[in-house]
Amino acid sequence: MQEASDDELVAAVARGDGQACAVLMQRHLGRIVALARRMMGNQADAEEVAQEVFLRVWTNAEKWEPGRAQFGTWLHRVAANLCLDRLRRQRNTVDIDEMPDLVSGDPAPDQRLEADELAARVEAALQQLPERQRAAIALSHYQGLSNIETAEILEVSVEAVESLLSRGRRQLRTLLATEKDGLLRSRETSA
Amino acid sequence: MNREISLERFAAIVDAYGASPMRWPADERGAAEALLAFSADARALLDEARMLDGVLAAAPVEVPSDALVARLMAARPRPATPVPAGKPRSIFRELISAIWPYGSPAIPAGALAASIMLGIALGSVSEIAVLNGSQIAAASGESEADERLIALALADIDWPEEWIQ
């Protein structure tokens, strides 16, 4: 079962094979949760999206046509669209006071807290990007999808993906300038 | 085959995709790596992009919770219940199945029997009786007004055609 292709696993899922469900989740659930986490900015929403994605797999497994599309790419497309839908719905309800603060906060006393602080700041910076820039960075940079796959998922041209990525990274560079300088300093110190 | 790319194009690539060649467009990766070999400017651009990549790598990563996995396993599709291979069904069962194809024929049959029994039981214990018009009038005091009302109710009336249609 571990060696089975995604298409074979989906066919087994449609027959009600529990082991196939487990292997398919083992193979893809972590990546889908990670994508949704980058898009939504928190684990609870990310898991809700991932749950919806896999429930669609369970429901539509019988209709899956082997060889028509890469299963992993299809999962990313469903997840990205669900995230964009949710973000659109949330757009008018977000309280600006609840946005994470990027510039305040004293340096944490120990390394663990520093790492957590940095992680929170990076996540907060990602959340400040426009949704489609964030989606492009999540798919290309974090998920490692090719520019062609990212373009297919976002239904734009490869050139448009490149533009989304450039603008997103430029904004992140500005938002995370302090963190970047800190990283540079720590490298110089350790060198 | 690697075609050459300009420093300007290299800058655009690292600006969009970062420092890792794995993320660069496949059709330009070779040319971009070739440029790195002899261009100090390209290497400086790469270092700059690597710095941002390093910060972005700090973004939090959490594995899916056990609760999520359990919910999904609970909701997974189940195998279809196989039809037990037994002795062939009798003609009576085939007939019942043709009349009631939705499952066990005991369900509608039981419901019908229960409703008949309930009707008989209610009829035998209640004081409700079928009376004709004159008996009703007698029971209600034989007033003329009552008789007229009952006669009116029981009379054959030629209803206007538009009421019937």
Side-chain angles (χ1 to χ4, degrees), chain A residues 60-182:
Chain A
N60 297 301
E62 281 182 11
K63 299 174 201 156
W64 180 255
E65 294 176 35
R68 189 171 176 188
Q70 286 284 330
F71 181 71
T73 308
W74 179 81
L75 282 182
H76 276 79
R77 181 198 292 267
V78 175
N81 285 334
L82 285 173
C83 288
L84 288 169
D85 282 349
R86 279 175 174 244
L87 290 167
R88 270 181 218 121
R89 286 201 301 269
Q90 287 175 5
R91 194 182 296 156
N92 297 327
T93 60
V94 172
D95 184 349
I96 197 75
D97 293 332
E98 289 177 7
M99 294 291 286
D101 190 353
L102 282 176
V103 290
S104 69
D106 297 326
D110 64 45
Q111 254 186 337
R112 180 68 247 166
L113 280 176
E114 267 183 30
D116 288 348
E117 177 91 357
L118 179 59
R121 283 164 183 258
V122 172
E123 186 156 61
L126 284 165
Q127 294 309 301
Q128 293 204 5
L129 295 182
E131 289 146 17
R132 292 183 74 76
Q133 289 179 24
R134 197 188 320 161
I137 286 184
L139 291 165
S140 172
H141 183 87
Y142 284 107
Q143 301 297 110
L145 299 189
S146 73
N147 53 352
I148 295 167
E149 288 170 319
T150 304
E152 280 173 7
I153 289 170
L154 295 179
E155 295 177 338
V156 295
S157 67
V158 169
E159 291 75 21
V161 165
E162 202 164 299
S163 171
L164 287 169
L165 289 170
S166 294
R167 284 182 283 146
R169 281 180 66 95
R170 260 177 244 151
Q171 194 169 339
L172 287 172
R173 205 177 294 135
T174 307
L175 290 166
L176 296 167
T178 313
E179 286 72 17
K180 204 157 68 73
D181 291 345

Side-chain angles (χ1 to χ4, degrees), chain B residues 57-94:
Chain B
V61 179
E62 282 184 50
V63 295
S65 68
D66 292 343
L68 173 62
V69 174
R71 283 198 299 275
L72 286 170
M73 282 306 283
R76 74 184 190 274
R78 307 285 170 163
T81 310
V83 178
K87 54 184 179 182
R89 294 199 293 183
S90 67
I91 295 170
F92 174 72
R93 279 190 170 276
E94 291 290 348

Side-chain angles (χ1 to χ4, degrees), chain B residues 88-113:
Chain B
R89 294 199 293 183
S90 67
I91 295 170
F92 174 72
R93 279 190 170 276
E94 291 290 348
L95 183 66
I96 293 293
S97 176
I99 296 166
W100 186 259
Y102 309 110
S104 169
I107 297 166
L112 181 62

Side-chain angles (χ1 to χ4, degrees), chain A residues 14-25:
Chain A
R15 295 192 299 270
D17 186 328
Q19 202 188 348
C21 295
V23 175
L24 211 57
M25 283 199 288

